[in-house]
Amino acid sequence: MTRSELLIGGTWQTPRSGSGRLTDVVSPFDGRIVGQVPVAGDADVEAAVVSASRGAEIWRRTPAHERSEILLRAAALADERSEQIAQVLSTENGKTRREARAEAGRSGSIIRLAAFEGTQLYGQTLPLDANPGTGLDKVGFTLPQPVGVVVAITPFNYPALLVNHKIAPALAAGNSVILKPASTTPLTALALAECFIDAGLPEGVLSVLTGSGGELGDRLAADKRVRKISFTGSTGVGQHLASIAGVKKLSLELGSSAPVVVLPDADLDLAATAVAAGGYTNAGQVCISVQRVIVHESIQGDFLDALSDKVRQHRIGDPEDDATTVGTLITEAEAERVEGSIRQAVSAGARLELGGDRDGAMIEPAILSGVDPAAPIAQDEIFGPVVAVSSAPDVTTAVELANSTDYGLAAGIFTNDVDAGVQYMREVDAGNIHINWTPLWRADLMPYGGLKDSGIGKEGVRSAVAEMTESKTVVIHGSPWS
Ligand code: NAP
């Protein structure tokens, strides 16, 4: 799929920046060029912001039932085109076709949820007469309204899911959107954007700027006409955006090193099965991937045996082959980085139980045991198919270790002890906690977002719609009547 034009305000336009330069989109599995997209420049950013500012005026005045109808048409188109979108997604991202189908298949339902939530923008009435000296002559209420122009910046790892989780709630709430997808996965974002455009979005309401985040990001983030930045990506880039955004709304969905605790009373087979999925789905490139397992020392050997048996069943290879369960990382350079982290962990004393070999952009699913919880392999986000296992003598120590990184996106525990489960949910600083499952689980309607360096704000459709609006407080001043 080659695009030589940019989508600005819902129409395909020749890039203004003169060069008309195209950049290749490459399959991480075999290096073939799977498409090209234009590289936007400063003049294109300006055109998109001007167009989005006009679009925001039109769209905020469009009644919610009309916005909802357009979104429902977009959802139907996303369903119809799901198989094509999955193919593009798998090819440019390297995830298995099965994973790509599951991801693309969620688009329609996310958009439908957003269409509904956009019709539910209730305010509150205020009991002003409870204020001393205020009578019944005044009526107060809150009035939710769209924020205006939203800039959505998305990462490579879920190029359909995370685009949908931003675009659909932003549009449902009545905002215009400028999307900047990851440079490695722009084709999925463009295919999804087409569903919204073909559904009948008015002019100006949706733009997609392809090109480097490092070059486009600062201009978009610092622009005063942009009223909200919704960013999903690494903690480093999120911190940078926070430092330049100025006074505007900001949602940051950032990095993680998600822990799972396994206690002696847990169902070990369930824990091993879930970790063997949750550590390696999407080749471990998931913000809620299981990176650390903290297992009670009395069952460490049994757990490692059970986990190794399950992880050995994974097959890496061609993402298009149905037998493949773990696809490639996004680039060979990323695979080299993960390979280097495994080597560093081993030289620091961890034991490589299995896997870890690299072939191009693929890494054989790896388990490390005896990991020092303070080591970089536990503390820093690994973002690859690697699970680092440490041990703890009791649940209190396990909670301390779970909390010992700068991150706080998600955590899990396997136990049948209700007291331990309650202690874990209350004491672990993570935005999502799973009891008897790993953090790698998400329903699109649930509030979703991190604590600590994992971010601020919540996605999940209802929460995202709320964060894409701002609220006015209105007071009607009547006269006292007799
Ligand atoms: P990334 O390098 O931070 O990039 C994310 C997006 O930001 C891309 O579109 C990128 O554009 C853009 N970008 C890069 N530099 C920028 C700048 N200076 N200003 C504005 N935008 C900029 O992250 P990634 O490698 O794509 O994704 C992996 C990260 O995302 C991991 O840390 C993962 O944990 C996190 N993530 C978090 C969640 C969550 O819900 N918390 C979900 C998924 C992923 P280019 O591609 O052009 O560089």
Side-chain angles (χ1 to χ4, degrees):
M1 179 169 137
T2 291
R3 285 278 180 200
S4 52
E5 294 176 312
L6 289 164
L7 184 65
I8 296 201
T11 58
W12 295 97
Q13 300 182 14
T14 306
R16 285 161 179 74
S17 303
S19 72
R21 188 158 62 93
L22 298 181
T23 182
D24 295 338
V25 183
V26 174
S27 155
F29 175 64
D30 54 18
R32 74 184 190 282
I33 295 170
V34 296
Q36 291 185 313
V37 291
V39 177
D42 284 357
D44 302 308
V45 171
E46 178 60 22
V49 175
V50 167
S51 176
S53 301
R54 280 200 294 265
E57 290 305 311
I58 297 168
W59 196 230
R60 70 186 298 209
R61 295 193 176 98
T62 304
H65 69 268
E66 286 180 26
R67 297 202 302 257
S68 164
E69 277 164 26
I70 292 173
L71 287 184
L72 290 175
R73 281 203 291 276
L77 290 172
D79 283 343
E80 252 174 65
R81 299 175 190 175
S82 172
E83 183 58 28
Q84 285 159 262
I85 294 172
Q87 194 168 343
V88 168
L89 200 171
S90 169
T91 314
E92 69 176 352
N93 173 281
K95 70 177 68 185
T96 66
R97 188 59 66 83
R98 197 180 313 174
E99 289 171 326
R101 282 196 180 111
E103 182 181 345
R106 281 159 76 175
S107 305
S109 64
I110 295 172
I111 302 167
R112 271 187 289 277
L113 269 177
F116 172 73
E117 294 296 345
T119 64
Q120 302 297 302
L121 295 176
Y122 291 98
Q124 269 183 301
T125 52
L126 305 174
L128 293 179
D129 56 307
N131 180 63
T134 305
L136 290 168
D137 53 316
K138 299 186 195 307
V139 176
F141 56 93
T142 59
L143 187 64
Q145 295 211 328
V147 296
V149 178
V150 172
V151 161
I153 304 177
T154 49
F156 72 83
N157 65 328
Y158 279 91
L161 186 78
L162 301 174
V163 162
N164 282 318
H165 266 290
K166 296 192 187 305
I167 293 190
L171 295 176
N175 303 289
S176 63
V177 181
I178 302 171
L179 171 68
K180 207 315 276 173
S183 291
T184 41
T185 55
L187 301 176
T188 306
L190 289 168
L192 283 168
E194 274 185 318
C195 296
F196 289 93
I197 301 302
D198 294 349
L201 271 188
E203 206 179 315
V205 177
L206 181 60
S207 297
V208 182
L209 291 177
T210 45
S212 152
E215 285 163 30
L216 303 173
D218 284 16
R219 263 198 77 111
L220 284 168
D223 195 303
K224 282 179 85 117
R225 293 165 292 181
V226 171
R227 299 308 308 143
K228 157 114 195 171
I229 301 169
S230 177
F231 172 78
T232 300
S234 58
T235 295
V237 173
Q239 283 166 337
H240 170 69
L241 290 174
S243 74
I244 61 165
V247 183
K248 56 173 65 87
K249 290 191 96 174
L250 196 58
S251 296
L252 300 173
E253 301 284 339
L254 308 177
S256 172
S257 168
V260 165
V261 167
V262 185
L263 295 184
D265 63 297
D267 179 336
L268 272 197
D269 189 59
L270 176 73
T273 303
V275 171
Y280 306 93
T281 295
N282 217 28
Q285 302 165 113
V286 194
C287 51
I288 48 177
S289 193
V290 180
Q291 178 167 332
R292 296 177 289 147
V293 175
I294 302 154
V295 58
H296 191 277
E297 54 196 24
S298 66
I299 52 159
Q300 190 174 196
D302 290 346
F303 175 75
L304 278 170
D305 288 347
L307 180 63
S308 300
D309 281 353
K310 311 266 180 206
V311 173
R312 261 188 219 103
Q313 291 167 26
H314 278 305
R315 291 283 163 272
I316 59 169
D318 185 346
E320 290 185 23
D321 183 340
D322 281 342
T324 302
T325 61
V326 177
T328 73
L329 276 77
I330 190 65
T331 57
E332 190 163 343
E334 273 295 282
E336 284 168 358
R337 178 187 62 74
V338 172
E339 182 187 33
S341 300
I342 296 170
R343 287 215 182 112
Q344 190 196 34
V346 171
S347 64
R351 185 182 140 93
L352 187 59
E353 297 282 338
L354 58 91
D357 290 339
R358 184 178 67 79
D359 175 6
M362 288 179 288
I363 296 267
E364 192 76 43
I367 303 173
L368 289 160
S369 65
V371 169
D372 173 0
I377 196 86
Q379 293 291 316
D380 302 337
E381 182 172 48
I382 185 85
F383 229 55
V386 185
V387 168
V389 182
S390 315
S391 63
D394 51 51
V395 64
T396 301
T397 311
V399 166
E400 277 168 19
L401 293 180
N403 279 334
S404 68
T405 75
D406 290 337
Y407 297 113
L409 183 59
I413 185 169
F414 286 86
T415 182
N416 288 309
D417 176 347
V418 173
D419 294 345
V422 171
Q423 180 179 352
Y424 197 78
M425 73 177 82
R426 289 206 185 276
E427 296 296 320
V428 171
D429 297 325
N432 296 312
I433 308 256
H434 295 268
I435 312 289
N436 285 326
W437 202 252
T438 76
L440 198 123
W441 195 93
R442 178 176 190 180
D444 293 310
L445 56 76
M446 76 189 206
Y448 180 95
L451 310 182
K452 295 159 71 181
D453 280 359
S454 290
I456 48 175
K458 294 275 185 251
E459 289 199 340
V461 178
R462 179 172 293 185
S463 309
V465 167
E467 296 211 3
M468 300 285 185
T469 60
E470 50 203 355
S471 182
K472 292 176 181 167
T473 299
V474 181
V475 180
I476 302 173
H477 296 260
S479 308
W481 69 91
S482 48

mmCIF file of all heavy atoms in Angstrom, residues 234-271:
data_model
loop_
_atom_site.group_PDB
_atom_site.id
_atom_site.type_symbol
_atom_site.label_atom_id
_atom_site.label_comp_id
_atom_site.label_asym_id
_atom_site.label_seq_id
_atom_site.Cartn_x
_atom_site.Cartn_y
_atom_site.Cartn_z
ATOM 1 N N SER A 234 6.759 5.429 25.030
ATOM 2 C CA SER A 234 7.760 5.214 26.075
ATOM 3 C C SER A 234 7.718 6.325 27.116
ATOM 4 O O SER A 234 7.299 7.455 26.836
ATOM 5 C CB SER A 234 9.147 5.150 25.435
ATOM 6 O OG SER A 234 9.385 6.344 24.735
ATOM 7 N N THR A 235 8.198 5.993 28.306
ATOM 8 C CA THR A 235 8.200 6.974 29.398
ATOM 9 C C THR A 235 9.082 8.173 29.048
ATOM 10 O O THR A 235 8.725 9.324 29.337
ATOM 11 C CB THR A 235 8.650 6.289 30.704
ATOM 12 O OG1 THR A 235 7.652 5.308 31.038
ATOM 13 C CG2 THR A 235 8.782 7.268 31.853
ATOM 14 N N GLY A 236 10.203 7.927 28.367
ATOM 15 C CA GLY A 236 11.101 9.035 28.017
ATOM 16 C C GLY A 236 10.409 10.067 27.134
ATOM 17 O O GLY A 236 10.464 11.276 27.410
ATOM 18 N N VAL A 237 9.731 9.606 26.097
ATOM 19 C CA VAL A 237 9.050 10.554 25.195
ATOM 20 C C VAL A 237 7.881 11.215 25.930
ATOM 21 O O VAL A 237 7.643 12.420 25.787
ATOM 22 C CB VAL A 237 8.585 9.856 23.894
ATOM 23 C CG1 VAL A 237 7.742 10.806 23.052
ATOM 24 C CG2 VAL A 237 9.785 9.373 23.085
ATOM 25 N N GLY A 238 7.192 10.461 26.765
ATOM 26 C CA GLY A 238 6.083 11.041 27.537
ATOM 27 C C GLY A 238 6.564 12.167 28.444
ATOM 28 O O GLY A 238 5.930 13.225 28.541
ATOM 29 N N GLN A 239 7.705 11.933 29.094
ATOM 30 C CA GLN A 239 8.248 12.985 29.972
ATOM 31 C C GLN A 239 8.619 14.219 29.154
ATOM 32 O O GLN A 239 8.375 15.355 29.571
ATOM 33 C CB GLN A 239 9.478 12.463 30.731
ATOM 34 C CG GLN A 239 9.075 11.554 31.884
ATOM 35 C CD GLN A 239 10.236 10.747 32.440
ATOM 36 O OE1 GLN A 239 11.239 10.525 31.758
ATOM 37 N NE2 GLN A 239 10.088 10.284 33.669
ATOM 38 N N HIS A 240 9.171 14.005 27.982
ATOM 39 C CA HIS A 240 9.532 15.136 27.123
ATOM 40 C C HIS A 240 8.274 15.916 26.727
ATOM 41 O O HIS A 240 8.254 17.157 26.809
ATOM 42 C CB HIS A 240 10.273 14.624 25.884
ATOM 43 C CG HIS A 240 10.479 15.674 24.845
ATOM 44 N ND1 HIS A 240 11.339 16.741 25.025
ATOM 45 C CD2 HIS A 240 9.903 15.854 23.631
ATOM 46 C CE1 HIS A 240 11.285 17.524 23.956
ATOM 47 N NE2 HIS A 240 10.424 17.007 23.086
ATOM 48 N N LEU A 241 7.237 15.196 26.330
ATOM 49 C CA LEU A 241 6.002 15.883 25.918
ATOM 50 C C LEU A 241 5.423 16.690 27.084
ATOM 51 O O LEU A 241 4.970 17.830 26.895
ATOM 52 C CB LEU A 241 4.964 14.878 25.404
ATOM 53 C CG LEU A 241 5.311 14.232 24.057
ATOM 54 C CD1 LEU A 241 4.313 13.146 23.714
ATOM 55 C CD2 LEU A 241 5.372 15.274 22.947
ATOM 56 N N ALA A 242 5.460 16.099 28.280
ATOM 57 C CA ALA A 242 4.937 16.817 29.452
ATOM 58 C C ALA A 242 5.714 18.113 29.675
ATOM 59 O O ALA A 242 5.151 19.120 30.106
ATOM 60 C CB ALA A 242 5.009 15.924 30.685
ATOM 61 N N SER A 243 7.008 18.099 29.344
ATOM 62 C CA SER A 243 7.832 19.282 29.611
ATOM 63 C C SER A 243 7.586 20.404 28.603
ATOM 64 O O SER A 243 7.916 21.549 28.878
ATOM 65 C CB SER A 243 9.319 18.900 29.633
ATOM 66 O OG SER A 243 9.752 18.654 28.310
ATOM 67 N N ILE A 244 7.025 20.090 27.448
ATOM 68 C CA ILE A 244 6.852 21.148 26.434
ATOM 69 C C ILE A 244 5.388 21.472 26.139
ATOM 70 O O ILE A 244 5.102 22.399 25.398
ATOM 71 C CB ILE A 244 7.538 20.778 25.098
ATOM 72 C CG1 ILE A 244 6.934 19.503 24.498
ATOM 73 C CG2 ILE A 244 9.038 20.642 25.268
ATOM 74 C CD1 ILE A 244 7.310 19.303 23.045
ATOM 75 N N ALA A 245 4.460 20.696 26.730
ATOM 76 C CA ALA A 245 3.052 20.817 26.306
ATOM 77 C C ALA A 245 2.420 22.151 26.685
ATOM 78 O O ALA A 245 1.509 22.620 26.005
ATOM 79 C CB ALA A 245 2.237 19.678 26.899
ATOM 80 N N GLY A 246 2.896 22.765 27.765
ATOM 81 C CA GLY A 246 2.233 23.994 28.211
ATOM 82 C C GLY A 246 0.907 23.658 28.868
ATOM 83 O O GLY A 246 0.678 22.520 29.311
ATOM 84 N N VAL A 247 0.007 24.657 28.899
ATOM 85 C CA VAL A 247 -1.249 24.475 29.624
ATOM 86 C C VAL A 247 -2.272 23.821 28.695
ATOM 87 O O VAL A 247 -2.928 24.495 27.900
ATOM 88 C CB VAL A 247 -1.765 25.828 30.146
ATOM 89 C CG1 VAL A 247 -3.040 25.633 30.962
ATOM 90 C CG2 VAL A 247 -0.692 26.503 30.992
ATOM 91 N N LYS A 248 -2.354 22.531 28.764
ATOM 92 C CA LYS A 248 -3.365 21.774 28.002
ATOM 93 C C LYS A 248 -3.559 20.426 28.671
ATOM 94 O O LYS A 248 -2.756 20.029 29.518
ATOM 95 C CB LYS A 248 -2.969 21.619 26.532
ATOM 96 C CG LYS A 248 -1.617 20.981 26.296
ATOM 97 C CD LYS A 248 -1.388 20.715 24.813
ATOM 98 C CE LYS A 248 -1.307 21.924 23.923
ATOM 99 N NZ LYS A 248 0.044 22.513 23.810
ATOM 100 N N LYS A 249 -4.640 19.747 28.304
ATOM 101 C CA LYS A 249 -4.876 18.429 28.905
ATOM 102 C C LYS A 249 -3.879 17.421 28.347
ATOM 103 O O LYS A 249 -3.487 17.503 27.176
ATOM 104 C CB LYS A 249 -6.310 17.961 28.616
ATOM 105 C CG LYS A 249 -7.357 18.758 29.358
ATOM 106 C CD LYS A 249 -8.720 18.110 29.264
ATOM 107 C CE LYS A 249 -8.993 17.264 30.478
ATOM 108 N NZ LYS A 249 -10.367 16.724 30.498
ATOM 109 N N LEU A 250 -3.517 16.483 29.192
ATOM 110 C CA LEU A 250 -2.476 15.530 28.820
ATOM 111 C C LEU A 250 -2.846 14.147 29.357
ATOM 112 O O LEU A 250 -3.134 14.006 30.543
ATOM 113 C CB LEU A 250 -1.186 16.015 29.497
ATOM 114 C CG LEU A 250 0.161 15.502 29.072
ATOM 115 C CD1 LEU A 250 0.408 15.771 27.599
ATOM 116 C CD2 LEU A 250 1.245 16.195 29.907
ATOM 117 N N SER A 251 -2.875 13.158 28.480
ATOM 118 C CA SER A 251 -2.973 11.768 28.942
ATOM 119 C C SER A 251 -1.717 11.050 28.494
ATOM 120 O O SER A 251 -1.352 11.133 27.304
ATOM 121 C CB SER A 251 -4.164 11.046 28.306
ATOM 122 O OG SER A 251 -5.359 11.630 28.697
ATOM 123 N N LEU A 252 -1.078 10.369 29.398
ATOM 124 C CA LEU A 252 0.172 9.670 29.077
ATOM 125 C C LEU A 252 0.039 8.205 29.469
ATOM 126 O O LEU A 252 -0.135 7.893 30.648
ATOM 127 C CB LEU A 252 1.343 10.306 29.832
ATOM 128 C CG LEU A 252 1.627 11.788 29.565
ATOM 129 C CD1 LEU A 252 2.711 12.303 30.515
ATOM 130 C CD2 LEU A 252 2.053 12.003 28.118
ATOM 131 N N GLU A 253 0.084 7.336 28.471
ATOM 132 C CA GLU A 253 0.071 5.882 28.707
ATOM 133 C C GLU A 253 1.470 5.396 28.388
ATOM 134 O O GLU A 253 1.845 5.318 27.216
ATOM 135 C CB GLU A 253 -0.953 5.201 27.787
ATOM 136 C CG GLU A 253 -2.377 5.688 27.937
ATOM 137 C CD GLU A 253 -3.059 5.149 29.188
ATOM 138 O OE1 GLU A 253 -2.610 4.117 29.720
ATOM 139 O OE2 GLU A 253 -4.025 5.785 29.634
ATOM 140 N N LEU A 254 2.263 5.083 29.421
ATOM 141 C CA LEU A 254 3.709 4.928 29.216
ATOM 142 C C LEU A 254 4.196 3.509 29.516
ATOM 143 O O LEU A 254 3.425 2.568 29.507
ATOM 144 C CB LEU A 254 4.438 5.975 30.066
ATOM 145 C CG LEU A 254 3.948 7.420 29.870
ATOM 146 C CD1 LEU A 254 4.666 8.376 30.795
ATOM 147 C CD2 LEU A 254 4.103 7.851 28.418
ATOM 148 N N GLY A 255 5.473 3.397 29.804
ATOM 149 C CA GLY A 255 6.123 2.095 29.913
ATOM 150 C C GLY A 255 5.824 1.358 31.209
ATOM 151 O O GLY A 255 5.100 1.847 32.078
ATOM 152 N N SER A 256 6.434 0.185 31.332
ATOM 153 C CA SER A 256 6.091 -0.686 32.453
ATOM 154 C C SER A 256 7.150 -1.768 32.653
ATOM 155 O O SER A 256 7.980 -2.004 31.765
ATOM 156 C CB SER A 256 4.737 -1.328 32.153
ATOM 157 O OG SER A 256 4.435 -2.310 33.110
ATOM 158 N N SER A 257 7.115 -2.379 33.825
ATOM 159 C CA SER A 257 7.831 -3.648 34.050
ATOM 160 C C SER A 257 6.898 -4.446 34.949
ATOM 161 O O SER A 257 7.040 -4.485 36.167
ATOM 162 C CB SER A 257 9.179 -3.395 34.740
ATOM 163 O OG SER A 257 9.720 -4.617 35.182
ATOM 164 N N ALA A 258 5.886 -5.047 34.342
ATOM 165 C CA ALA A 258 4.757 -5.575 35.115
ATOM 166 C C ALA A 258 5.139 -6.846 35.881
ATOM 167 O O ALA A 258 5.719 -7.776 35.316
ATOM 168 C CB ALA A 258 3.586 -5.850 34.188
ATOM 169 N N PRO A 259 4.809 -6.890 37.180
ATOM 170 C CA PRO A 259 5.114 -8.064 38.002
ATOM 171 C C PRO A 259 3.917 -9.018 38.144
ATOM 172 O O PRO A 259 2.766 -8.596 38.124
ATOM 173 C CB PRO A 259 5.418 -7.431 39.368
ATOM 174 C CG PRO A 259 4.507 -6.239 39.426
ATOM 175 C CD PRO A 259 4.326 -5.749 37.996
ATOM 176 N N VAL A 260 4.266 -10.288 38.341
ATOM 177 C CA VAL A 260 3.264 -11.289 38.726
ATOM 178 C C VAL A 260 3.821 -12.033 39.937
ATOM 179 O O VAL A 260 4.972 -12.471 39.916
ATOM 180 C CB VAL A 260 3.008 -12.289 37.575
ATOM 181 C CG1 VAL A 260 2.277 -13.519 38.075
ATOM 182 C CG2 VAL A 260 2.198 -11.634 36.476
ATOM 183 N N VAL A 261 3.029 -12.150 40.976
ATOM 184 C CA VAL A 261 3.443 -12.887 42.169
ATOM 185 C C VAL A 261 2.746 -14.247 42.156
ATOM 186 O O VAL A 261 1.557 -14.337 41.823
ATOM 187 C CB VAL A 261 3.081 -12.073 43.439
ATOM 188 C CG1 VAL A 261 3.185 -12.926 44.699
ATOM 189 C CG2 VAL A 261 3.989 -10.844 43.541
ATOM 190 N N VAL A 262 3.489 -15.294 42.497
ATOM 191 C CA VAL A 262 2.893 -16.632 42.591
ATOM 192 C C VAL A 262 3.134 -17.156 44.012
ATOM 193 O O VAL A 262 4.287 -17.331 44.426
ATOM 194 C CB VAL A 262 3.502 -17.593 41.543
ATOM 195 C CG1 VAL A 262 2.771 -18.938 41.578
ATOM 196 C CG2 VAL A 262 3.441 -16.994 40.139
ATOM 197 N N LEU A 263 2.053 -17.378 44.746
ATOM 198 C CA LEU A 263 2.152 -17.839 46.137
ATOM 199 C C LEU A 263 2.003 -19.371 46.209
ATOM 200 O O LEU A 263 1.496 -19.987 45.255
ATOM 201 C CB LEU A 263 1.083 -17.140 46.989
ATOM 202 C CG LEU A 263 1.269 -15.613 47.121
ATOM 203 C CD1 LEU A 263 0.222 -15.019 48.061
ATOM 204 C CD2 LEU A 263 2.672 -15.250 47.606
ATOM 205 N N PRO A 264 2.400 -19.968 47.330
ATOM 206 C CA PRO A 264 2.435 -21.440 47.405
ATOM 207 C C PRO A 264 1.082 -22.107 47.213
ATOM 208 O O PRO A 264 1.002 -23.249 46.768
ATOM 209 C CB PRO A 264 2.961 -21.725 48.820
ATOM 210 C CG PRO A 264 3.566 -20.474 49.289
ATOM 211 C CD PRO A 264 2.946 -19.350 48.549
ATOM 212 N N ASP A 265 -0.004 -21.419 47.570
ATOM 213 C CA ASP A 265 -1.324 -22.043 47.460
ATOM 214 C C ASP A 265 -1.934 -21.869 46.062
ATOM 215 O O ASP A 265 -3.079 -22.283 45.830
ATOM 216 C CB ASP A 265 -2.268 -21.404 48.484
ATOM 217 C CG ASP A 265 -2.456 -19.940 48.191
ATOM 218 O OD1 ASP A 265 -1.455 -19.195 48.247
ATOM 219 O OD2 ASP A 265 -3.564 -19.532 47.834
ATOM 220 N N ALA A 266 -1.182 -21.255 45.142
ATOM 221 C CA ALA A 266 -1.745 -20.955 43.808
ATOM 222 C C ALA A 266 -1.937 -22.227 42.991
ATOM 223 O O ALA A 266 -1.286 -23.243 43.234
ATOM 224 C CB ALA A 266 -0.800 -20.021 43.067
ATOM 225 N N ASP A 267 -2.805 -22.131 42.013
ATOM 226 C CA ASP A 267 -2.936 -23.188 41.008
ATOM 227 C C ASP A 267 -1.744 -23.009 40.054
ATOM 228 O O ASP A 267 -1.744 -22.108 39.199
ATOM 229 C CB ASP A 267 -4.279 -23.005 40.286
ATOM 230 C CG ASP A 267 -4.497 -24.039 39.192
ATOM 231 O OD1 ASP A 267 -3.499 -24.583 38.687
ATOM 232 O OD2 ASP A 267 -5.671 -24.259 38.826
ATOM 233 N N LEU A 268 -0.718 -23.845 40.228
ATOM 234 C CA LEU A 268 0.538 -23.644 39.480
ATOM 235 C C LEU A 268 0.365 -23.811 37.981
ATOM 236 O O LEU A 268 0.990 -23.103 37.189
ATOM 237 C CB LEU A 268 1.599 -24.642 39.959
ATOM 238 C CG LEU A 268 2.460 -24.220 41.145
ATOM 239 C CD1 LEU A 268 3.705 -25.103 41.234
ATOM 240 C CD2 LEU A 268 2.878 -22.759 41.042
ATOM 241 N N ASP A 269 -0.504 -24.745 37.592
ATOM 242 C CA ASP A 269 -0.697 -24.956 36.161
ATOM 243 C C ASP A 269 -1.354 -23.716 35.525
ATOM 244 O O ASP A 269 -0.952 -23.266 34.456
ATOM 245 C CB ASP A 269 -1.557 -26.208 35.928
ATOM 246 C CG ASP A 269 -1.583 -26.572 34.461
ATOM 247 O OD1 ASP A 269 -0.488 -26.809 33.903
ATOM 248 O OD2 ASP A 269 -2.677 -26.569 33.857
ATOM 249 N N LEU A 270 -2.327 -23.169 36.256
ATOM 250 C CA LEU A 270 -2.986 -21.948 35.765
ATOM 251 C C LEU A 270 -1.966 -20.804 35.656
ATOM 252 O O LEU A 270 -1.896 -20.098 34.642
ATOM 253 C CB LEU A 270 -4.112 -21.536 36.731
ATOM 254 C CG LEU A 270 -4.827 -20.237 36.389
ATOM 255 C CD1 LEU A 270 -5.733 -20.438 35.174
ATOM 256 C CD2 LEU A 270 -5.652 -19.733 37.574
ATOM 257 N N ALA A 271 -1.142 -20.668 36.710
ATOM 258 C CA ALA A 271 -0.155 -19.579 36.717
ATOM 259 C C ALA A 271 0.828 -19.749 35.564
ATOM 260 O O ALA A 271 1.133 -18.791 34.837
ATOM 261 C CB ALA A 271 0.571 -19.539 38.056
#
